[in-house]
Amino acid sequence: MLLSLTIQDFVIVSQLTLDCSRGLTVLSGETGAGKSILIDALSLCMGERSDASFVREGADCARITAVFDPPQAARDLLAANDLPADELIIRRTVARSGKSRALVNETPVTAGLLKSLAYCLIDIHGQHAFQSLVRADEQRRLLDSHAGLQSEADAVRQAWKRLQISQDELQAARNAREQIAAEREKLAWQLEEIERVSPQLGQWEELCQQHQRLSHSAELLEGIQGAIAELEDADEAIASRLSSLSARISQLARKDESLDVFAKQVEAAAIEAQEAARGLSGWLRGVDLDPDSLADIDARLGQWHSVSRKLRINPEQLADKAADIRSRLALLDRQVDLEALTRIVNQQETAFMEQADALRKKRSTAAKALSQQVTDAMQGLNLTGGQFVCDVAKAEPHAGGTDKIEFCVAGHAGSTPRPLAKVASGGELARISLAITVITSQASTIPTLIFDEVDSGIGGAVAETVGRYLRTLAGNRQVLCVTHLPQVAAQGHQHWQVSKQFDGKATSSRIVALSAEERTQEIARMLGGQTITEKTLAAARELLGA
């Protein structure tokens, strides 16, 4: 529920704070006094687009602060976004440049989150609501909302979206078959060429190393054999000389113990020389320096170079290229698998039709109840004998399901219900619109409903009935109504008056809560204009007393 609203430097409001209550609160005032400023300010606070024109002339920015006692849905949304959920304070500022900022519980939030919160907090019905009521999508939305079928309708829309995506993929595959076949043929040829050399990751580098070794086999053999001879096999082999030198230093160490460490170092060097000689001998035994092997490797390297030139890539990239081609071929195979794509489309079409048909049955049941409720409401709106029919007919599949929902109305007894869009009388349309709005709002869980001159075009006894509808609707929630009808205003639990003032420099608008006597005066003004007589005062008291 809305607890308070503070407006600063907004349009022609300098400073205004309103404390809000449960029940029906009516707003009245002269034409042009700014009755709708409250609605505009709340709409801005709930995430509507900002505009520099909202900033009062001479001010730097406009500020709107709304404090709510949040319902459970809003608390859950706040908690899901890591925001405090015990209270809800929404602040919206609009700078002179038009740039705006939104804070929820003093934390900056996105416009998306602000609008999500708004759906849980406030439902605003404008004076031209009947204009949207003639649209088929709005009629379907109202029926679903009234019947609590929003989740089922959302599921149907998602199923339709998935079906459309799958159908597009199937059609694209059909259109691209020739192109895909040509690409597949090219890739298959490339893979065939690469597989002639059976490349493995790292294999090119290994072949190059083998080729380098075999190309210098004679030099390697001669050099390694000479090194082994010098280390161990020759008469003056390095290992033997180091061993002898170690022994001589050991003898000297008997006379000076500090020399012992050097004897051990030379002995270790002798051992290292012997190990190196044995390691080189092992290399000679294990290495393949056969000239025929060099010819084989030369041939393989030539194949790699030949394939890489054809494909215009480096030889070391052949293995990666083969893996990429196999992945692409697998993807193309899935794309041209029309049977698999067709199966998916059929499965999703079946799922959509099952969900949509189930929704249509629920809508049909809900439509009968809504038809009767609105018809009953019409009887008190000077539409005696009139009839409202929410028609649910089978239709071609679409995002909303498999039905066509149409609101039809007969303005008086004996006439055939016709589509709401074809109702000739604007007054009838306004009254029917109000009946539908009030009835469908009764099923809403939103705690605050706002009606901005939805009673336009009606009067007399009908206006009194409208007021009673709104007061009944406010029995378990908060309702704010901007009205120009005294019969509606008299039904309010609270009454606010909007007035415009000029201080010689600027025009400003203010809203004040009326006392009992002030309210009588305002109802009398609404009844008789600026000149208030005892008769209009008496009539005002009678309305308020009733």
Side-chain angles (χ1 to χ4, degrees):
M1 183 183 81
L2 178 64
L3 300 178
S4 68
L5 179 69
T6 300
I7 304 173
Q8 294 174 278
D9 296 324
F10 183 76
V11 191
I12 60 173
V13 175
S14 174
Q15 173 73 33
L16 175 67
T17 297
L18 295 171
D19 293 322
C20 307
S21 305
R22 290 188 178 275
L24 174 60
T25 300
V26 296
L27 288 86
S28 65
E30 295 284 358
T31 301
K35 294 190 294 295
S36 294
I37 287 179
L38 172 67
I39 313 301
D40 295 338
L42 267 175
S43 297
L44 178 66
C45 211
M46 293 294 100
E48 290 299 320
R49 185 184 297 274
S50 64
D51 191 279
S53 63
F54 289 152
V55 182
R56 187 174 64 86
E57 188 173 350
D60 294 329
C61 69
R63 296 180 178 86
I64 312 295
T65 302
V67 180
F68 293 88
D69 177 14
Q72 189 58 48
R75 293 178 189 272
D76 293 342
L77 188 57
L78 290 169
N81 287 274
D82 297 323
L83 293 168
D86 293 334
E87 63 177 359
L88 175 55
I89 301 175
I90 300 176
R91 302 186 193 276
R92 187 87 185 270
T93 60
V94 181
R96 175 62 64 185
S97 63
K99 185 177 180 180
S100 71
R101 187 166 182 246
L103 298 174
V104 171
N105 291 342
E106 306 306 326
T107 301
V109 298
T110 63
L113 176 58
L114 199 57
K115 287 192 173 182
S116 296
L117 277 171
Y119 293 140
C120 305
L121 299 170
I122 287 182
D123 193 5
I124 299 176
H125 300 273
Q127 60 179 308
H128 301 296
F130 66 89
Q131 294 176 352
S132 63
L133 269 180
V134 300
R135 299 200 311 264
D137 58 340
E138 178 64 8
Q139 293 175 1
R140 182 168 53 250
R141 186 197 69 80
L142 275 175
L143 175 61
D144 290 342
S145 176
H146 178 67
L149 299 174
Q150 297 98 324
S151 60
E152 288 93 333
D154 287 341
V156 166
R157 276 190 291 272
Q158 291 301 318
W160 174 261
K161 184 178 180 179
R162 289 191 294 270
L163 175 59
Q164 297 305 298
I165 292 173
S166 296
Q167 288 177 335
D168 289 344
E169 290 177 351
L170 176 58
Q171 188 59 46
R174 287 170 176 164
N175 295 339
R177 271 187 299 186
E178 292 184 5
Q179 181 180 350
I180 291 175
E183 182 182 358
R184 197 186 188 293
E185 183 179 355
K186 178 182 176 180
L187 290 173
W189 169 78
Q190 291 178 344
L191 185 61
E192 182 180 358
E193 289 292 324
I194 294 175
E195 286 179 341
R196 289 180 180 178
V197 298
S198 301
Q200 305 295 323
L201 289 175
Q203 191 176 33
W204 171 256
E205 291 78 6
E206 183 181 347
L207 287 172
C208 289
Q209 289 175 2
Q210 290 178 359
H211 186 270
Q212 176 79 3
R213 186 166 58 246
L214 291 171
S215 296
H216 299 85
S217 58
E219 182 182 350
L220 286 169
L221 285 171
E222 182 180 352
I224 296 302
Q225 288 170 348
I228 293 172
E230 288 193 34
L231 286 169
E232 195 173 42
D233 294 343
D235 292 339
E236 295 293 328
I238 292 173
S240 297
R241 291 169 61 191
L242 287 171
S243 295
S244 298
L245 181 59
S246 174
R248 287 199 302 273
I249 296 173
S250 293
Q251 289 178 351
L252 294 173
R254 294 174 184 173
K255 298 177 176 61
D256 185 349
E257 293 182 356
S258 65
L259 296 175
D260 188 59
V261 65
F262 302 114
K264 291 179 179 179
Q265 288 177 341
V266 174
E267 183 182 8
I271 294 172
E272 288 291 336
Q274 293 170 353
E275 290 294 331
R278 284 193 286 272
L280 289 171
S281 298
W283 182 87
L284 278 177
R285 291 192 299 271
V287 72
D288 181 9
L289 296 177
D290 184 2
D292 292 337
S293 298
L294 177 62
D296 291 340
I297 291 178
D298 265 332
R300 291 197 66 189
L301 290 176
Q303 289 178 324
W304 281 63
H305 279 294
S306 175
V307 173
S308 63
R309 281 195 299 271
K310 286 182 181 179
L311 302 184
R312 298 181 180 179
I313 60 174
N314 295 327
E316 61 268 23
Q317 296 176 316
L318 285 178
D320 288 334
K321 181 67 173 178
D324 291 343
I325 291 175
R326 291 187 185 99
S327 296
R328 179 60 181 164
L329 284 171
L331 177 61
L332 291 177
D333 287 341
R334 290 195 297 271
Q335 288 180 337
V336 297
D337 190 352
L338 297 182
E339 290 185 4
L341 290 174
T342 301
R343 282 196 303 272
I344 292 174
V345 169
N346 291 338
Q347 290 169 358
Q348 293 185 345
E349 185 174 17
T350 299
F352 166 77
M353 292 299 294
E354 289 176 351
Q355 288 178 281
D357 287 345
L359 178 59
R360 181 164 55 85
K361 292 176 181 177
K362 292 182 179 180
R363 281 173 171 167
S364 297
T365 300
K368 293 177 182 177
L370 178 62
S371 298
Q372 187 60 55
Q373 289 171 324
V374 176
T375 296
D376 293 343
M378 287 169 60
Q379 310 311 306
L381 293 172
N382 202 23
L383 292 168
T384 306
Q387 183 184 9
F388 173 81
V389 176
C390 178
D391 184 56
V392 180
K394 192 170 178 61
E396 290 297 318
H398 55 88
T402 55
D403 47 38
K404 177 185 177 183
I405 296 170
E406 190 169 39
F407 288 179
C408 298
V409 173
H412 52 272
S415 60
T416 302
R418 294 183 298 145
L420 191 62
K422 297 181 180 179
V423 173
S425 167
E428 282 187 349
L429 187 55
R431 279 177 279 164
I432 294 165
S433 167
L434 181 59
I436 295 171
T437 300
V438 171
I439 294 300
T440 55
S441 294
Q442 289 174 349
S444 172
T445 58
I446 296 175
T448 300
L449 304 178
I450 298 177
F451 296 90
D452 185 11
E453 295 192 16
V454 293
D455 50 13
S456 177
I458 61 176
V462 176
E464 186 178 348
T465 302
V466 169
R468 288 201 304 270
Y469 278 151
L470 294 175
R471 188 178 178 93
T472 300
L473 193 59
N476 59 352
R477 72 189 73 199
Q478 184 181 52
V479 177
L480 282 73
C481 177
V482 176
T483 182
H484 64 279
L485 296 178
Q487 297 91 334
V488 174
Q491 295 288 340
H493 296 97
Q494 296 81 227
H495 193 148
W496 293 345
Q497 183 187 47
V498 185
S499 61
K500 186 186 292 184
Q501 296 176 331
F502 180 69
D503 61 4
K505 294 181 180 180
T507 299
S508 63
S509 180
R510 68 171 189 159
I511 303 176
V512 296
L514 299 181
S515 65
E517 182 56 33
E518 290 170 336
R519 189 176 184 188
T520 301
Q521 292 286 332
E522 175 64 6
I523 297 293
R525 182 199 63 77
M526 297 173 74
L527 283 167
Q530 292 298 332
T531 302
I532 299 176
T533 67
E534 283 300 324
K535 288 185 178 180
T536 54
L537 285 170
R541 294 188 185 97
E542 184 178 353
L543 272 178
L544 289 167

